[in-house]
């Protein structure tokens, strides 16, 4: 049965290895090696179950076919693994293969290696021919020489990763060789129970272990499954064996004749045990081969929390590095990010003793490699000199790119661990998933920052506009003061008598100057509103009726020019707590509109109603009216109903928006009722 | 526009009459502004209204003239070289001089600062102003002060 295990294990490992990278020589040779052992195991298995001599002889051939290649493929494998390129070893390699073929031939043709089978311990075993001695000698010497090469490589390599690989293969093969000695003795005629197949299982385990734990030949998680199911198969076989060897016999003893009852019971036991057994094995495999999976979840959680906490990369990146370091205890580590301004990958944060402040250009080899391959670089597996130099520069044993949507944002670099233990695949996978998370966060950050920058730019532009507006209106103020002042002096005849024509001209000038004044004040108010300042300075008890009357009086000339009649429906006086100038401004703007958009000879109706908590004012005109769709828009800045009509109706389009803002500031509101072609009614309320 | 100025003319008659009664009681006004044109305009304006006008072009000069002469009213600009309008107000407050002040400025003002200097926010006039409004305000203040 253990022969069968050897077959399954070796075959599966060999196939996995080949499947992982069928173009790498190392993997191919390992496949051949695995195949040889498997063939040998198969031969052994067939031999063990053969009932007659003829069948046993055929099995013997299969056994030999595998066995003659074991040492040559193993030697080849070791040569490739240790990267020994000496000529002597190469010649030896050819010799080993030639000898393997020679042994195969002489055995097949003349039966000189294993000439016969013999039944010992209830099973058939091969009996050695003349060539059995030289074969054993060659076999053992090649294996020992391979082991010696492994030992040398183990001694001289600096990489802990490689050291561990060599060690495990060395131990595995060494043990297997020790186990094989009884087999050889048996073949040579000395009767000792053969143990090679059991020991070769040990080889399988150590190989498996070094593959999983020390990244031998790039096999990842697929092996974990393989391992679990192999062990599972082993267990089931064991149970089956127990059934055949004991339970069945007990049954036979009890009942007296052969029965399949025991098999049914065993099968049901196996069925019931299957899932808990699988889970149990999975747990054990995880514990021994994939240790740390559990702690990693916690670290992952901590890292994602850090990322979620802040948008400041200077804060969360060092924290992430620290968290990773807490778990892995790494000598040096750093995070590089791409700086668009300088077109460089620059170190953002790092830990460790001797990282200076390295950077990479966009077209550096390492950057190009990472961009192209989109996966991590392991120093252990790198042969390229350019890459090794770059790795040396950042002291990275493991470099992981930060890639988001084909864009390389930066990289993570980690030196060897302080313990000297290499990164296993599980850890690399874990760091990779962290890098994905980081890439996402950094990309978000980039978007966020560019948005923020844009917003600030827009805000600045807007502020500059407001500043300019307020500067311009301030600059207008002093000259206008002088103009209005002197006009007053002229008109009041303080500077001498004036004739009627001059008086007329002065009157028009005064009107226009005042219009300019209103415009400038509107602009200034707008600038202040845009800066978020309040335009109302103080509140006092004022009479709203007085404010209205003053406004109407002030603008009566405008109305009389268009023959507009102003009708007032007002109470005696209404006292409110507000700002006199601002209330006047509201009335003035609304009245100005009512005159401007009215027809010649039209009417304007003022109505003020004193409600309990507020005052409601209404200004109704007989003008062009407003379309329903325009009702909200008229309160927007610089808006006039029809742009083409601007020539007819002068003005900035600021009036209503300022009215609205003033009213909102004092807690009032304004709305409009209108019928196109009939007229509009503006109604506003002010709290008292 | 004409109607706008009409009420002011009727108010004019009252102080003029009081001037006639007591010639010694001249209405002294100090105009402080760093813009000469504004100063001359205001001088013209208030002289035509029967005021005795003194002028200053910066805060330092203004303070000197305030402490030298007994003044009835000060028209004060805020933005000026050497000593600005706020400082003038502050200085006057410290010296317990409570000559009424009207602030005239083309710029927005710091209300809190003005209040600290003891200036009533109502006595603040923005440029460009209506000359009649200013005259009314000055006269009202003068009457308030003198009884």
């Amino acid at each position: 049965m253990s022969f069968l295990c050897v077959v399954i294990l070796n075959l599966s490992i060999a196939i996995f290895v080949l499947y992982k990278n069928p173009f790498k020589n190392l993997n191919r040779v390992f496949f051949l090696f695995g195949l040889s052992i498997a063939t040998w195991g198969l031969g052994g298995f067939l031999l063990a179950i053969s009932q007659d001599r003829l069948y046993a002889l055929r099995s013997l051939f299969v056994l030999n076919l595998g066995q003659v290649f074991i040492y040559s493929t193993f030697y080849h494998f070791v040569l490739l693994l240790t990267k020994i390129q000496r000529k002597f070893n190469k010649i030896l390699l050819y010799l080993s293969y030639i000898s393997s073929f020679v042994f195969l031939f002489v055995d097949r043709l003349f039966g000189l290696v294993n000439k016969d089978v013999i039944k010992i311990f209830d099973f058939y075993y091969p009996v050695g021919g003349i060539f059995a001695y030289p074969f054993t000698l060659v076999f053992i010497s090649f294996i020992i020489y391979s082991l010696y090469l492994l030992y040398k490589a183990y001694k001289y390599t600096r990489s802990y990763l490689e050291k561990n690989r060599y060690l495990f293969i060395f131990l595995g093969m060494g043990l297997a060789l020790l186990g094989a000695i009884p087999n050889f003795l048996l073949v040579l005629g000395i009767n000792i129970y053969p143990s090679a197949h059991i020991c070769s299982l040990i080889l399988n385990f150590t190989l498996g272990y070094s593959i999983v734990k020390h990244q031998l030949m790039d096999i990842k998680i697929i092996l974990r499954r393989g391992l679990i199911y192999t062990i599972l198969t082993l267990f089931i076989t064991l149970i089956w064996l127990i059934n055949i060897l004991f339970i069945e016999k007990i049954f036979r003893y009890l009942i007296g004749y052969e029965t399949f009852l025991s098999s049914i019971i065993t099968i049901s036991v196996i069925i019931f045990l299957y899932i808990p057994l699988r889970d149990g094995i999975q747990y054990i495999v995880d514990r021994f081969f994939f240790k740390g999976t559990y702690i990693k979840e916690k670290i992952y959680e901590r890292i994602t929390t850090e990322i979620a906490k802040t948008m400041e990369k200077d804060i969360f990146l060092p924290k992430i590095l620290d968290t990773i370091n807490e778990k892995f205890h790494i000598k040096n580590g750093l995070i590089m990010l791409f700086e668009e301004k300088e077109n460089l990958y620059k170190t953002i944060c790092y830990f460790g003793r001797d990282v200076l402040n390295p950077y990479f250009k966009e077209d550096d080899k390492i950057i190009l490699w990472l961009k192209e391959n989109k996966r991590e670089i392991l120093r252990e597996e790198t042969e390229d000199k350019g890459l090794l130099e770059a790795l040396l520069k950042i002291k990275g044993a493991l470099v992981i790119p930060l890639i988001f949507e084909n864009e390389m944002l930066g990289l993570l670099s980690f030196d060897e661990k302080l313990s000297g233990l290499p990164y296993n695949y599980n850890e690399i996978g874990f760091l990779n998933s962290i890098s994905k998370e980081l890439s996402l966060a950094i990309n978000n950050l980039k978007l966020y920052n560019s948005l923020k920058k844009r917003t600030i730019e827009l805000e600045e532009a807007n502020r500059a506009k407001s500043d300019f507006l307020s500067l311009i209106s301030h600059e207008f103020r002093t000259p206008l003061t002088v103009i209005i002042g002197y006009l007053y002096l002229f008109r009041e005849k303080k500077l001498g008598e004036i004739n009627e024509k001059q008086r007329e001209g002065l009157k028009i000038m005064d009107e226009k100057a005042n219009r300019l004044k209103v415009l400038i004040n509107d602009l200034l108010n707008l600038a202040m509103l845009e800066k978020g300042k309040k335009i109302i300075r103080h509140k006092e008890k004022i009479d709203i009726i007085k404010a209205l009357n003053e406004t109407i009086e002030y603008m009566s000339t405008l109305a009389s020019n268009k023959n507009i009649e102003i009708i007032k429906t007002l109470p005696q006086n209404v006292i409110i707590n507000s700002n006199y100038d601002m209330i006047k401004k509201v009335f003035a703007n609304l009245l100005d509109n009512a005159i401007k958009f009215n027809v010649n000879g039209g009417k304007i109706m003022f109505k003020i109603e004193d409600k309990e908590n507020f005052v409601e004012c209404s200004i109704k005109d007989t003008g062009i009216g407003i379309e329903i769709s325009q009702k909200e828009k008229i309160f927007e800045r610089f808006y006039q109903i029809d742009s083409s009509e601007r020539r007819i109706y002068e003005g900035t389009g600021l009036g209503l928006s300022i009215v609205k803002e003033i009213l909102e500031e004092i807690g009032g509101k304004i709305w409009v009722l209108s019928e196109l072609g009939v007229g509009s009614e503006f109604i506003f309320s002010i709290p008292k | 526009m004409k109607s706008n100025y009409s009420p002011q003319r009727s108010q004019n008659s009252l102080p003029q009459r009081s001037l006639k009664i007591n010639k010694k009681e001249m209405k002294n006004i100090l105009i402080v502004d760093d813009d000469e044109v504004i100063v001359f305009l205001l001088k013209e304006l208030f002289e035509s209204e029967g005021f005795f006008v003194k002028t200053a072009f910066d805060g330092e000069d203004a303070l000197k003239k305030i402490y030298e002469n007994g003044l009835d009213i000060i028209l004060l600009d805020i933005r000026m070289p050497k000593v600005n309008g706020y400082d003038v107000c502050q200085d006057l407050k410290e010296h317990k001089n409570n000559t009424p002040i009207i602030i005239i400025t083309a710029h927005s003002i710091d209300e809190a600062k003005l209040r600290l200097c003891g200036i009533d926010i109502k006595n603040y006039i923005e440029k460009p102003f209506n000359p009649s409004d200013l005259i009314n305000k000055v006269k009202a203040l003068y009457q308030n002060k003198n009884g």
Side-chain angles (χ1 to χ4, degrees), chain A residues 474 477-478 481 485 488-489 491 494 510 517 537-538 540 553 557, chain B residues 1 3 5 8 35 45 48-49 106 111 121-122 126-129:
Chain A
H474 278 136
R477 282 174 170 225
T478 307
T481 310
Y488 173 81
L489 286 173
R491 291 186 67 206
K494 307 277 185 189
D510 196 50
K517 187 181 106 180
R537 297 207 177 76
H538 65 285
E540 58 191 337
E553 207 178 298
T557 17
Chain B
M1 284 301 137
S3 55
Y5 300 126
Q8 180 255 320
D35 189 331
L45 203 65
S48 76
E49 293 293 332
E111 271 178 57
I121 205 77
K122 275 187 269 182
E126 236 174 25
K127 289 176 195 169
F129 47 83

mmCIF file of all heavy atoms in Angstrom, chain A residues 474 477-478 481 485 488-489 491 494 510 517 537-538 540 553 557, chain B residues 1 3 5 8 35 45 48-49 106 111 121-122 126-129:
data_model
loop_
_atom_site.group_PDB
_atom_site.id
_atom_site.type_symbol
_atom_site.label_atom_id
_atom_site.label_comp_id
_atom_site.label_asym_id
_atom_site.label_seq_id
_atom_site.Cartn_x
_atom_site.Cartn_y
_atom_site.Cartn_z
ATOM 1 N N HIS A 474 -14.830 100.184 -5.227
ATOM 2 C CA HIS A 474 -14.234 101.162 -4.304
ATOM 3 C C HIS A 474 -13.559 102.297 -5.057
ATOM 4 O O HIS A 474 -13.665 103.452 -4.689
ATOM 5 C CB HIS A 474 -13.215 100.462 -3.394
ATOM 6 C CG HIS A 474 -13.850 99.780 -2.248
ATOM 7 N ND1 HIS A 474 -13.497 98.520 -1.854
ATOM 8 C CD2 HIS A 474 -14.833 100.161 -1.425
ATOM 9 C CE1 HIS A 474 -14.248 98.160 -0.836
ATOM 10 N NE2 HIS A 474 -15.063 99.151 -0.552
ATOM 11 N N ARG A 477 -15.884 104.868 -6.136
ATOM 12 C CA ARG A 477 -16.634 105.592 -5.121
ATOM 13 C C ARG A 477 -16.167 107.024 -4.917
ATOM 14 O O ARG A 477 -16.998 107.952 -4.861
ATOM 15 C CB ARG A 477 -16.540 104.854 -3.788
ATOM 16 C CG ARG A 477 -17.442 103.686 -3.760
ATOM 17 C CD ARG A 477 -17.233 102.902 -2.510
ATOM 18 N NE ARG A 477 -18.287 101.921 -2.405
ATOM 19 C CZ ARG A 477 -18.943 101.680 -1.284
ATOM 20 N NH1 ARG A 477 -18.631 102.308 -0.180
ATOM 21 N NH2 ARG A 477 -19.915 100.805 -1.273
ATOM 22 N N THR A 478 -14.880 107.196 -4.784
ATOM 23 C CA THR A 478 -14.383 108.535 -4.489
ATOM 24 C C THR A 478 -14.671 109.525 -5.627
ATOM 25 O O THR A 478 -15.226 110.591 -5.370
ATOM 26 C CB THR A 478 -12.886 108.470 -4.152
ATOM 27 O OG1 THR A 478 -12.715 107.503 -3.117
ATOM 28 C CG2 THR A 478 -12.356 109.797 -3.695
ATOM 29 N N THR A 481 -18.284 110.370 -5.575
ATOM 30 C CA THR A 481 -18.608 111.261 -4.457
ATOM 31 C C THR A 481 -18.363 112.714 -4.866
ATOM 32 O O THR A 481 -19.197 113.590 -4.618
ATOM 33 C CB THR A 481 -17.713 110.945 -3.248
ATOM 34 O OG1 THR A 481 -17.746 109.558 -3.012
ATOM 35 C CG2 THR A 481 -18.151 111.693 -2.023
ATOM 36 N N GLY A 485 -21.156 115.445 -5.336
ATOM 37 C CA GLY A 485 -21.000 116.591 -4.431
ATOM 38 C C GLY A 485 -21.017 117.918 -5.176
ATOM 39 O O GLY A 485 -21.770 118.832 -4.810
ATOM 40 N N TYR A 488 -24.335 118.814 -6.663
ATOM 41 C CA TYR A 488 -25.195 119.356 -5.621
ATOM 42 C C TYR A 488 -24.915 120.846 -5.419
ATOM 43 O O TYR A 488 -25.823 121.687 -5.367
ATOM 44 C CB TYR A 488 -24.975 118.569 -4.330
ATOM 45 C CG TYR A 488 -25.684 119.151 -3.119
ATOM 46 C CD1 TYR A 488 -27.030 118.897 -2.898
ATOM 47 C CD2 TYR A 488 -24.998 119.960 -2.220
ATOM 48 C CE1 TYR A 488 -27.673 119.430 -1.809
ATOM 49 C CE2 TYR A 488 -25.626 120.492 -1.125
ATOM 50 C CZ TYR A 488 -26.981 120.233 -0.916
ATOM 51 O OH TYR A 488 -27.611 120.778 0.175
ATOM 52 N N LEU A 489 -23.620 121.155 -5.325
ATOM 53 C CA LEU A 489 -23.229 122.551 -5.093
ATOM 54 C C LEU A 489 -23.704 123.455 -6.243
ATOM 55 O O LEU A 489 -24.204 124.554 -6.011
ATOM 56 C CB LEU A 489 -21.710 122.660 -4.928
ATOM 57 C CG LEU A 489 -21.157 122.152 -3.590
ATOM 58 C CD1 LEU A 489 -19.629 122.156 -3.596
ATOM 59 C CD2 LEU A 489 -21.688 122.974 -2.419
ATOM 60 N N ARG A 491 -26.206 122.825 -8.341
ATOM 61 C CA ARG A 491 -27.671 122.887 -8.412
ATOM 62 C C ARG A 491 -28.257 123.720 -7.291
ATOM 63 O O ARG A 491 -29.295 124.354 -7.453
ATOM 64 C CB ARG A 491 -28.266 121.468 -8.385
ATOM 65 C CG ARG A 491 -27.964 120.691 -9.649
ATOM 66 C CD ARG A 491 -28.687 119.376 -9.640
ATOM 67 N NE ARG A 491 -30.124 119.585 -9.728
ATOM 68 C CZ ARG A 491 -31.027 118.728 -9.268
ATOM 69 N NH1 ARG A 491 -30.634 117.615 -8.712
ATOM 70 N NH2 ARG A 491 -32.315 118.990 -9.385
ATOM 71 N N LYS A 494 -24.765 127.186 -4.859
ATOM 72 C CA LYS A 494 -23.791 127.586 -3.856
ATOM 73 C C LYS A 494 -22.551 128.176 -4.534
ATOM 74 O O LYS A 494 -21.739 128.836 -3.901
ATOM 75 C CB LYS A 494 -23.351 126.376 -3.008
ATOM 76 C CG LYS A 494 -24.481 125.609 -2.400
ATOM 77 C CD LYS A 494 -24.971 126.236 -1.128
ATOM 78 C CE LYS A 494 -26.026 125.325 -0.507
ATOM 79 N NZ LYS A 494 -26.722 125.953 0.627
ATOM 80 N N ASP A 510 -27.105 114.574 -12.638
ATOM 81 C CA ASP A 510 -27.338 114.099 -11.277
ATOM 82 C C ASP A 510 -28.071 112.755 -11.271
ATOM 83 O O ASP A 510 -27.731 111.835 -10.542
ATOM 84 C CB ASP A 510 -28.150 115.150 -10.516
ATOM 85 C CG ASP A 510 -28.085 114.921 -9.021
ATOM 86 O OD1 ASP A 510 -26.957 114.765 -8.506
ATOM 87 O OD2 ASP A 510 -29.159 114.839 -8.379
ATOM 88 N N LYS A 517 -24.331 105.266 -8.990
ATOM 89 C CA LYS A 517 -24.111 104.993 -7.567
ATOM 90 C C LYS A 517 -24.847 103.712 -7.148
ATOM 91 O O LYS A 517 -24.275 102.848 -6.463
ATOM 92 C CB LYS A 517 -24.628 106.188 -6.743
ATOM 93 C CG LYS A 517 -24.295 106.102 -5.276
ATOM 94 C CD LYS A 517 -24.849 107.282 -4.542
ATOM 95 C CE LYS A 517 -26.053 106.871 -3.731
ATOM 96 N NZ LYS A 517 -26.621 108.012 -3.001
ATOM 97 N N ARG A 537 -25.613 95.839 8.399
ATOM 98 C CA ARG A 537 -24.705 96.137 9.497
ATOM 99 C C ARG A 537 -25.412 96.184 10.844
ATOM 100 O O ARG A 537 -24.950 95.651 11.818
ATOM 101 C CB ARG A 537 -24.003 97.462 9.230
ATOM 102 C CG ARG A 537 -23.156 97.346 7.994
ATOM 103 C CD ARG A 537 -22.009 98.269 8.023
ATOM 104 N NE ARG A 537 -21.239 98.016 6.811
ATOM 105 C CZ ARG A 537 -21.628 98.441 5.611
ATOM 106 N NH1 ARG A 537 -22.733 99.163 5.476
ATOM 107 N NH2 ARG A 537 -20.914 98.157 4.536
ATOM 108 N N HIS A 538 -26.519 96.867 10.862
ATOM 109 C CA HIS A 538 -27.201 96.949 12.161
ATOM 110 C C HIS A 538 -28.707 97.067 11.946
ATOM 111 O O HIS A 538 -29.177 97.449 10.876
ATOM 112 C CB HIS A 538 -26.687 98.139 12.957
ATOM 113 C CG HIS A 538 -27.008 99.451 12.318
ATOM 114 N ND1 HIS A 538 -26.332 99.912 11.214
ATOM 115 C CD2 HIS A 538 -27.956 100.380 12.599
ATOM 116 C CE1 HIS A 538 -26.834 101.086 10.846
ATOM 117 N NE2 HIS A 538 -27.826 101.387 11.664
ATOM 118 N N GLU A 540 -32.478 98.491 13.568
ATOM 119 C CA GLU A 540 -33.067 99.438 14.508
ATOM 120 C C GLU A 540 -34.561 99.507 14.237
ATOM 121 O O GLU A 540 -35.051 98.951 13.256
ATOM 122 C CB GLU A 540 -32.412 100.809 14.339
ATOM 123 C CG GLU A 540 -32.547 101.338 12.925
ATOM 124 C CD GLU A 540 -31.688 102.563 12.668
ATOM 125 O OE1 GLU A 540 -31.344 103.238 13.652
ATOM 126 O OE2 GLU A 540 -31.375 102.839 11.510
ATOM 127 N N GLU A 553 -40.700 108.921 -3.594
ATOM 128 C CA GLU A 553 -40.428 110.320 -3.867
ATOM 129 C C GLU A 553 -39.128 110.458 -4.669
ATOM 130 O O GLU A 553 -39.052 111.169 -5.659
ATOM 131 C CB GLU A 553 -40.284 111.050 -2.533
ATOM 132 C CG GLU A 553 -40.640 112.525 -2.618
ATOM 133 C CD GLU A 553 -40.521 113.164 -1.255
ATOM 134 O OE1 GLU A 553 -41.260 112.752 -0.353
ATOM 135 O OE2 GLU A 553 -39.645 114.039 -1.097
ATOM 136 N N THR A 557 -39.500 110.896 -10.504
ATOM 137 C CA THR A 557 -39.206 111.425 -11.840
ATOM 138 C C THR A 557 -39.185 110.303 -12.875
ATOM 139 O O THR A 557 -39.713 110.461 -13.971
ATOM 140 C CB THR A 557 -37.849 112.150 -11.881
ATOM 141 O OG1 THR A 557 -37.099 111.761 -10.735
ATOM 142 C CG2 THR A 557 -38.016 113.643 -11.918
ATOM 143 N N MET B 1 -35.581 113.990 -8.963
ATOM 144 C CA MET B 1 -34.408 114.303 -8.153
ATOM 145 C C MET B 1 -34.615 115.557 -7.336
ATOM 146 O O MET B 1 -34.182 115.655 -6.194
ATOM 147 C CB MET B 1 -33.183 114.523 -9.055
ATOM 148 C CG MET B 1 -32.606 113.218 -9.580
ATOM 149 S SD MET B 1 -32.126 112.144 -8.245
ATOM 150 C CE MET B 1 -32.730 110.595 -8.856
ATOM 151 N N SER B 3 -37.178 116.610 -5.965
ATOM 152 C CA SER B 3 -37.968 116.380 -4.751
ATOM 153 C C SER B 3 -37.088 115.851 -3.620
ATOM 154 O O SER B 3 -37.381 116.075 -2.448
ATOM 155 C CB SER B 3 -39.075 115.376 -5.056
ATOM 156 O OG SER B 3 -38.466 114.218 -5.590
ATOM 157 N N TYR B 5 -34.235 116.769 -2.737
ATOM 158 C CA TYR B 5 -33.500 117.800 -2.008
ATOM 159 C C TYR B 5 -34.421 118.787 -1.298
ATOM 160 O O TYR B 5 -33.986 119.504 -0.430
ATOM 161 C CB TYR B 5 -32.599 118.583 -2.974
ATOM 162 C CG TYR B 5 -31.594 117.667 -3.645
ATOM 163 C CD1 TYR B 5 -31.479 117.603 -5.018
ATOM 164 C CD2 TYR B 5 -30.785 116.869 -2.852
ATOM 165 C CE1 TYR B 5 -30.577 116.759 -5.614
ATOM 166 C CE2 TYR B 5 -29.874 116.016 -3.449
ATOM 167 C CZ TYR B 5 -29.761 115.964 -4.831
ATOM 168 O OH TYR B 5 -28.877 115.127 -5.412
ATOM 169 N N GLN B 8 -34.603 119.130 2.627
ATOM 170 C CA GLN B 8 -33.382 119.629 3.250
ATOM 171 C C GLN B 8 -33.351 121.154 3.259
ATOM 172 O O GLN B 8 -32.910 121.771 4.215
ATOM 173 C CB GLN B 8 -32.193 119.056 2.478
ATOM 174 C CG GLN B 8 -30.844 119.468 2.978
ATOM 175 C CD GLN B 8 -30.227 120.495 2.053
ATOM 176 O OE1 GLN B 8 -30.344 120.384 0.840
ATOM 177 N NE2 GLN B 8 -29.613 121.507 2.609
ATOM 178 N N ASP B 35 -7.621 112.371 0.751
ATOM 179 C CA ASP B 35 -7.903 112.776 -0.625
ATOM 180 C C ASP B 35 -8.241 114.276 -0.638
ATOM 181 O O ASP B 35 -9.276 114.710 -0.126
ATOM 182 C CB ASP B 35 -9.071 111.933 -1.162
ATOM 183 C CG ASP B 35 -9.282 112.149 -2.643
ATOM 184 O OD1 ASP B 35 -8.965 113.253 -3.136
ATOM 185 O OD2 ASP B 35 -9.764 111.202 -3.321
ATOM 186 N N LEU B 45 -18.800 122.554 0.681
ATOM 187 C CA LEU B 45 -20.159 122.179 1.079
ATOM 188 C C LEU B 45 -20.524 122.772 2.435
ATOM 189 O O LEU B 45 -21.576 123.396 2.608
ATOM 190 C CB LEU B 45 -20.230 120.642 1.126
ATOM 191 C CG LEU B 45 -21.584 119.996 0.993
ATOM 192 C CD1 LEU B 45 -22.170 120.256 -0.384
ATOM 193 C CD2 LEU B 45 -21.447 118.485 1.221
ATOM 194 N N SER B 48 -20.566 126.636 2.725
ATOM 195 C CA SER B 48 -21.806 127.188 2.158
ATOM 196 C C SER B 48 -22.974 127.020 3.115
ATOM 197 O O SER B 48 -23.992 127.678 2.991
ATOM 198 C CB SER B 48 -22.110 126.522 0.820
ATOM 199 O OG SER B 48 -22.623 125.219 1.043
ATOM 200 N N GLU B 49 -22.801 126.087 4.056
ATOM 201 C CA GLU B 49 -23.857 125.893 5.048
ATOM 202 C C GLU B 49 -23.567 126.695 6.315
ATOM 203 O O GLU B 49 -24.264 126.523 7.321
ATOM 204 C CB GLU B 49 -23.965 124.400 5.412
ATOM 205 C CG GLU B 49 -24.446 123.511 4.286
ATOM 206 C CD GLU B 49 -25.898 123.784 3.898
ATOM 207 O OE1 GLU B 49 -26.676 124.223 4.768
ATOM 208 O OE2 GLU B 49 -26.243 123.581 2.713
ATOM 209 N N ALA B 106 -14.774 104.991 1.823
ATOM 210 C CA ALA B 106 -15.140 104.282 0.598
ATOM 211 C C ALA B 106 -15.006 102.779 0.803
ATOM 212 O O ALA B 106 -15.352 102.003 -0.059
ATOM 213 C CB ALA B 106 -14.246 104.728 -0.548
ATOM 214 N N GLU B 111 -16.779 96.912 12.103
ATOM 215 C CA GLU B 111 -17.777 97.401 13.057
ATOM 216 C C GLU B 111 -17.333 97.269 14.499
ATOM 217 O O GLU B 111 -17.475 98.182 15.297
ATOM 218 C CB GLU B 111 -19.078 96.603 12.881
ATOM 219 C CG GLU B 111 -19.994 97.188 11.872
ATOM 220 C CD GLU B 111 -21.227 96.339 11.718
ATOM 221 O OE1 GLU B 111 -21.903 96.119 12.740
ATOM 222 O OE2 GLU B 111 -21.482 95.870 10.596
ATOM 223 N N ILE B 121 -22.728 103.330 15.228
ATOM 224 C CA ILE B 121 -22.687 102.811 13.866
ATOM 225 C C ILE B 121 -23.556 103.651 12.924
ATOM 226 O O ILE B 121 -23.357 103.663 11.721
ATOM 227 C CB ILE B 121 -23.116 101.311 13.874
ATOM 228 C CG1 ILE B 121 -22.521 100.597 12.668
ATOM 229 C CG2 ILE B 121 -24.604 101.151 13.912
ATOM 230 C CD1 ILE B 121 -21.074 100.281 12.864
ATOM 231 N N LYS B 122 -24.490 104.371 13.496
ATOM 232 C CA LYS B 122 -25.357 105.227 12.674
ATOM 233 C C LYS B 122 -24.586 106.400 12.087
ATOM 234 O O LYS B 122 -24.965 106.960 11.071
ATOM 235 C CB LYS B 122 -26.525 105.746 13.513
ATOM 236 C CG LYS B 122 -27.696 104.775 13.569
ATOM 237 C CD LYS B 122 -28.889 105.382 14.259
ATOM 238 C CE LYS B 122 -28.864 105.094 15.739
ATOM 239 N NZ LYS B 122 -30.037 105.628 16.454
ATOM 240 N N GLU B 126 -21.206 106.028 3.847
ATOM 241 C CA GLU B 126 -20.421 105.416 2.793
ATOM 242 C C GLU B 126 -20.303 106.364 1.614
ATOM 243 O O GLU B 126 -21.243 107.067 1.274
ATOM 244 C CB GLU B 126 -21.162 104.150 2.336
ATOM 245 C CG GLU B 126 -20.347 102.912 2.405
ATOM 246 C CD GLU B 126 -21.197 101.694 2.074
ATOM 247 O OE1 GLU B 126 -22.196 101.826 1.372
ATOM 248 O OE2 GLU B 126 -20.839 100.603 2.542
ATOM 249 N N LYS B 127 -19.157 106.392 0.990
ATOM 250 C CA LYS B 127 -19.030 107.122 -0.280
ATOM 251 C C LYS B 127 -19.591 106.232 -1.383
ATOM 252 O O LYS B 127 -19.367 105.032 -1.341
ATOM 253 C CB LYS B 127 -17.555 107.397 -0.582
ATOM 254 C CG LYS B 127 -16.912 108.425 0.308
ATOM 255 C CD LYS B 127 -15.443 108.498 -0.053
ATOM 256 C CE LYS B 127 -14.662 109.236 1.018
ATOM 257 N NZ LYS B 127 -13.209 109.088 0.822
ATOM 258 N N PRO B 128 -20.227 106.684 -2.406
ATOM 259 C CA PRO B 128 -20.645 108.078 -2.579
ATOM 260 C C PRO B 128 -21.909 108.370 -1.787
ATOM 261 O O PRO B 128 -22.798 107.519 -1.736
ATOM 262 C CB PRO B 128 -20.919 108.153 -4.078
ATOM 263 C CG PRO B 128 -21.234 106.758 -4.485
ATOM 264 C CD PRO B 128 -20.578 105.835 -3.532
ATOM 265 N N PHE B 129 -21.963 109.517 -1.192
ATOM 266 C CA PHE B 129 -23.123 109.860 -0.352
ATOM 267 C C PHE B 129 -23.900 110.995 -0.994
ATOM 268 O O PHE B 129 -23.401 111.722 -1.854
ATOM 269 C CB PHE B 129 -22.664 110.261 1.044
ATOM 270 C CG PHE B 129 -21.528 111.238 1.029
ATOM 271 C CD1 PHE B 129 -21.778 112.610 0.860
ATOM 272 C CD2 PHE B 129 -20.209 110.821 1.157
ATOM 273 C CE1 PHE B 129 -20.732 113.512 0.827
ATOM 274 C CE2 PHE B 129 -19.165 111.727 1.118
ATOM 275 C CZ PHE B 129 -19.423 113.084 0.950
#
